[in-house]
Amino acid sequence: PVRATVFREGHDAVAATAVLVAPDGTDHSWAPMRDISPGLDRYEGWLTPDAPGSWGFRIEGWSDPFATWAHDATLKVDAGVDV
């Protein structure tokens, strides 16, 4: 497992991906990360190297416009706002 705190300024939703970097420096594989502690910005993804060597990883985080829209739309529908 790979865990990270992923956040941004503002109220937009965020998403993240864990990227496994092979010993030769190329991107080997990636895994979407999921929020494991809602409200605490803790995300987790699983990466698996398939050979011995000095592997690395990086976390890529970004604003998630669709998740932001879905959250905001749910609030409006639940409040009876004409959408």
Side-chain angles (χ1 to χ4, degrees):
V2 174
R3 294 187 181 120
T5 301
V6 181
F7 63 94
R8 66 167 306 236
E9 185 175 344
H11 298 286
D12 288 354
V14 297
T17 301
V19 180
L20 183 62
V21 180
D24 66 1
T26 61
D27 292 352
H28 178 271
S29 58
W30 60 273
M33 299 183 79
R34 64 182 183 85
D35 190 355
I36 59 171
S37 297
L40 298 178
D41 303 322
R42 295 293 296 166
Y43 285 76
E44 178 181 79
W46 288 76
L47 299 172
T48 306
D50 58 5
S54 181
W55 293 79
F57 68 91
R58 72 176 178 272
I59 305 300
E60 297 177 347
W62 63 91
S63 294
D64 187 341
F66 179 78
T68 300
W69 172 83
H71 174 264
D72 293 348
T74 301
L75 292 176
K76 290 178 182 180
V77 169
D78 290 348
V81 175
D82 183 14
V83 291

